[in-house]
């Protein structure tokens, strides 16, 4: 008999209807996700399942999951969630998606199942752990790297330095990884989380929650598999989910 595959919930993006006569996927609201999120989870031994945007159902969804992946997207965490009174002109939000993802993360933290936050998912995780965000890196950091890299997302944009003696370091077995980069915001304060990776310009690139079986956020997109460390991160998630499901 085949071993049970850990069930990994994956959050979706949400898009509005296409304008009349403008083409697009649908004239009704629709969900979206890049195929490589699901493919990477499956390749590492997990069973991916998409999660819709219904905060009222979040706890019930999580009750059936062994792990949670909070994906990225071209939007930002609402500044009021981390106590900011003003929003930068570049900030774009998706309140319905954020409310659902926040409910999912809170339920996953309460249940103690593995959580992987990716890009915007890492930023939301930091905020829910009591942290804050930099609303626009170019305005806040002189000589910042191109965190919105000009080259394709399936190529590296810069390196990140992994902090020794962290869960992330033990998973990837390296002190430096090449990563892709697609974000204009960054974590400023990690709250209850701890920093486990930084870019050469000092931007926080990963955080983790001490005492949790697996709660890691990374600012890059490991689902593209830029380095061996990306796959090792997903394999670590699946291994932890397998333990959670036993």
């Amino acid at each position: 008999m085949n071993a049970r595959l850990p069930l990994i919930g994956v959050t979706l993006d949400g898009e509005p209807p296409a304008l009349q006569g403008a083409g697009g996927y649908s004239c009704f609201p629709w969900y979206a996700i890049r195929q490589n999120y699901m493919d990477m989870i499956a390749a590492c031994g997990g069973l991916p399942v998409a999660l819709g945007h219904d905060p009222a159902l979040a706890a019930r969804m999580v009750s059936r999951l062994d792990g949670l992946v909070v994906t990225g997207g071209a939007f930002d965490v609402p500044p009021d969630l981390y106590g900011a009174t003003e929003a930068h002109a570049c900030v774009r939000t998706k309140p319905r998606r954020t409310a659902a993802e926040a409910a999912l993360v809170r339920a996953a933290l309460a249940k103690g199942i593995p959580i992987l936050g990716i890009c915007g998912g890492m930023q939301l995780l930091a905020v829910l752990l009591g942290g804050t965000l930099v609303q626009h890196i170019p305005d806040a950091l002189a000589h910042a790297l191109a965190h919105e890299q000009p080259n394709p997302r399936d190529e590296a944009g810069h390196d990140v330095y992994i902090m020794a003696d962290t869960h992330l370091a033990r998973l990837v077995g390296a002190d430096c990884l090449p990563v892709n980069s697609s974000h204009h915001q960054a974590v400023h304060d990690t709250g209850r989380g701890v920093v486990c990776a930084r870019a050469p310009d000092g931007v926080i690139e990963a955080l983790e929650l001490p005492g949790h079986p697996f709660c890691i956020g990374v600012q890059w997109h490991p689902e593209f598999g830029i380095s061996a460390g990306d796959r090792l991160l997903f394999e670590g998630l699946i291994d932890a989910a397998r333990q959670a499901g036993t």
Side-chain angles (χ1 to χ4, degrees):
M1 178 181 290
N2 293 331
R4 176 182 177 274
L5 299 180
L7 187 64
I8 309 298
V10 186
T11 65
L12 297 167
D13 201 1
E15 292 294 334
L19 297 176
Q20 188 80 20
Y25 180 76
S26 176
C27 61
F28 298 95
W30 49 282
Y31 288 126
I33 191 168
R34 261 189 287 102
Q35 182 177 326
N36 57 359
Y37 281 109
M38 303 301 215
D39 288 351
M40 179 64 87
I41 291 168
C44 293
L47 182 62
V49 59
L51 305 176
H53 299 167
D54 190 340
L57 292 178
R60 293 184 184 183
M61 292 178 186
V62 169
S63 71
R64 301 190 183 191
L65 299 177
D66 302 311
L68 174 67
V69 174
V70 185
T71 63
F75 74 107
D76 304 302
V77 176
D80 62 287
L81 288 187
Y82 48 93
T85 57
E86 296 183 1
H88 190 278
C90 292
V91 168
R92 299 291 182 269
T93 62
K94 292 186 175 181
R96 184 170 182 265
R97 174 178 174 176
T98 297
E101 289 184 326
L104 288 164
V105 171
R106 291 187 179 108
L109 286 169
K111 187 182 176 186
I113 65 170
I115 304 168
L116 175 60
I118 294 175
C119 199
M122 168 186 160
Q123 295 169 6
L124 178 61
L125 179 60
V127 168
L128 295 178
L129 293 176
T132 59
L133 303 181
V134 173
Q135 291 196 29
H136 193 56
I137 295 170
D139 287 357
L141 182 64
H143 312 298
L145 295 172
H147 288 278
E148 293 185 288
Q149 69 183 52
N151 53 312
R153 298 298 186 255
D154 59 352
E155 300 174 0
H158 61 77
D159 290 340
V160 298
Y161 300 115
I162 312 297
M163 308 303 182
D165 300 319
T166 60
H167 191 178
L168 180 63
R170 291 188 290 274
L171 284 173
V172 303
D175 57 12
C176 182
L177 291 178
V179 301
N180 50 17
S181 191
S182 179
H183 60 106
H184 79 104
Q185 298 200 327
V187 173
H188 177 259
D189 181 277
T190 58
R192 293 188 289 124
V194 299
V195 177
C196 50
R198 288 186 184 270
D201 61 4
V203 165
I204 296 173
E205 291 282 340
L207 64 84
E208 60 190 47
L209 180 60
H212 193 282
F214 188 112
C215 184
I216 296 176
V218 297
Q219 191 61 78
W220 65 94
H221 283 271
E223 70 276 10
F224 281 93
I226 299 294
S227 73
D230 285 345
R231 180 169 178 129
L232 289 169
L233 179 59
F234 273 95
E235 289 179 350
L237 170 75
I238 301 306
D239 286 344
R242 189 174 292 114
Q243 294 299 316
T246 58

